[in-house]
Amino acid sequence: MKIITTPAKKMTNDISYLTPASLPVFLDVTWEILKHLKTLNVDQIKKMLRCNDSIAQAAYWNYQTMDLTKNTVPAILSYQGIQYDYLQADLLDFDDFDFLNEHLVILSGFYGVLKPLDGVVPYRLELNNYFNNGKYRSLYQLWGDMIYQELIKDDHDILDLGAKQYSKIIQKYLSDDINYVKCYFKQWQKDELKEVGVYVKMARGAMTRYLIKNKINSLEQVKNFNELGYQFAADLSNNQAYVFVKKI
């Protein structure tokens, strides 16, 4: 089973206790993306990232000075945010990392597909950001089915814990021989079940950690997740959508 997760905007390369074990599989493509990013001025970056002046200026200098081969850190430790706080990758043991690196895949607009121990540098670029390098008018168009084909290369069971904009690049290419399940984490608000952003991020991180610590390798076993007050809702779920509801 492949477990899909997605990146966070905030990143660090201040990791000294674990070194990368591999290179991203699509590093050549990432170099081409970076080549285009280096041609952009601050205003163009601001438009692309839909961000404020300060973030655009920081991103500009990041692109200008970026070297994909220097000061890299393992991808799973580089992202910082609610989801990664609840995953707690820094507290995993060696057996956990072995399982993690075999089953977890991080989707990225910049790197395409990342194994957890692939070496990365901090970057700011999401899959749904505006992108036009003359040849491709979006990152979705640039990546095409490359991400999907890499994902299903040696496993046809996919558990999707990713954000909507990343799920799109997988769902578009799904074929009948792929067992694909998307997870939803909901709670009651004013007599209505809703997904609430911050709690969804917590749940994605907690579920990822649960799967790793318990060495879960089948879609059926995923239904047993019951942390943070969530329980599998069979009446709301189907073969392609697992819904977990937070108890009141």
Side-chain angles (χ1 to χ4, degrees):
M1 181 177 74
K2 290 297 183 185
I3 306 162
I4 295 175
T5 191
T6 44
K9 290 181 180 178
K10 188 176 180 181
M11 297 182 70
T12 182
N13 62 353
D14 186 19
I15 304 293
S16 58
Y17 55 88
L18 188 66
T19 57
S22 51
L23 295 173
V25 65
F26 294 125
L27 195 58
D28 288 347
V29 180
T30 305
W31 276 114
E32 288 302 310
I33 294 173
L34 179 58
K35 182 179 178 180
H36 170 68
L37 296 178
K38 287 179 180 288
T39 70
L40 303 179
N41 60 38
V42 174
D43 287 340
Q44 290 170 320
I45 291 171
K46 181 179 179 180
K47 178 182 177 181
M48 178 181 72
L49 299 180
R50 298 189 292 272
C51 64
N52 60 35
D53 291 341
S54 177
I55 292 174
Q57 187 69 52
Y60 170 82
W61 286 113
N62 178 229
Y63 298 151
Q64 292 301 315
T65 59
M66 188 181 293
D67 185 331
L68 301 177
T69 64
K70 295 181 179 179
N71 301 317
T72 62
V73 297
I76 194 65
L77 298 173
S78 70
Y79 297 107
Q80 297 183 318
I82 295 171
Q83 175 179 321
Y84 288 87
D85 289 343
Y86 278 75
L87 195 161
Q88 296 181 304
D90 57 321
L91 299 180
L92 298 176
D93 60 32
F94 288 115
D95 287 341
D96 295 332
F97 272 110
D98 286 343
F99 183 88
L100 179 83
N101 211 44
E102 182 179 352
H103 295 283
L104 187 69
V105 175
I106 304 169
L107 304 190
S108 165
F110 190 50
Y111 284 102
V113 170
L114 288 168
K115 296 179 70 174
L117 298 183
D118 282 350
V120 301
V121 296
Y123 66 91
R124 190 161 185 126
L125 187 68
E126 295 188 271
L127 190 54
N128 62 340
N129 284 150
Y130 173 78
F131 182 91
N132 188 339
N133 67 353
K135 183 177 180 181
Y136 300 103
R137 301 188 59 164
S138 72
L139 287 168
Y140 290 105
Q141 187 182 56
L142 183 152
W143 287 112
D145 70 344
M146 284 191 288
I147 291 173
Y148 173 75
Q149 293 298 337
E150 179 64 22
L151 188 64
I152 66 167
K153 187 169 61 176
D154 54 8
D155 201 320
H156 283 194
D157 289 353
I158 299 174
L159 182 71
D160 188 351
L161 299 179
K164 182 178 179 180
Q165 64 265 33
Y166 290 90
S167 298
K168 283 171 57 177
I169 205 165
I170 300 303
Q171 294 169 339
K172 179 179 180 180
Y173 300 103
L174 285 172
S175 56
D176 292 340
D177 61 327
I178 303 300
N179 301 313
Y180 170 87
V181 174
K182 173 79 173 170
C183 284
Y184 299 89
F185 301 94
K186 299 186 177 185
Q187 61 189 78
W188 288 102
Q189 285 200 336
K190 297 181 179 179
D191 299 322
E192 185 179 357
L193 276 176
K194 292 184 176 180
E195 284 197 299
V196 180
V198 62
Y199 297 111
V200 171
K201 291 177 181 179
M202 291 177 183
R204 287 172 179 162
M207 176 175 272
T208 304
R209 183 173 179 80
Y210 170 84
L211 299 174
I212 294 165
K213 296 301 293 184
N214 292 281
K215 308 299 182 285
I216 303 298
N217 193 26
S218 78
L219 294 171
E220 185 65 26
Q221 289 177 302
V222 173
K223 297 176 182 179
N224 295 327
F225 173 73
N226 61 356
E227 298 190 5
L228 303 183
Y230 286 95
Q231 287 187 339
F232 178 70
D235 57 325
L236 301 176
S237 303
N238 56 49
N239 289 337
Q240 289 194 319
Y242 285 2
V243 178
F244 294 84
V245 176
K246 191 177 183 68
K247 294 181 291 184
I248 298 175

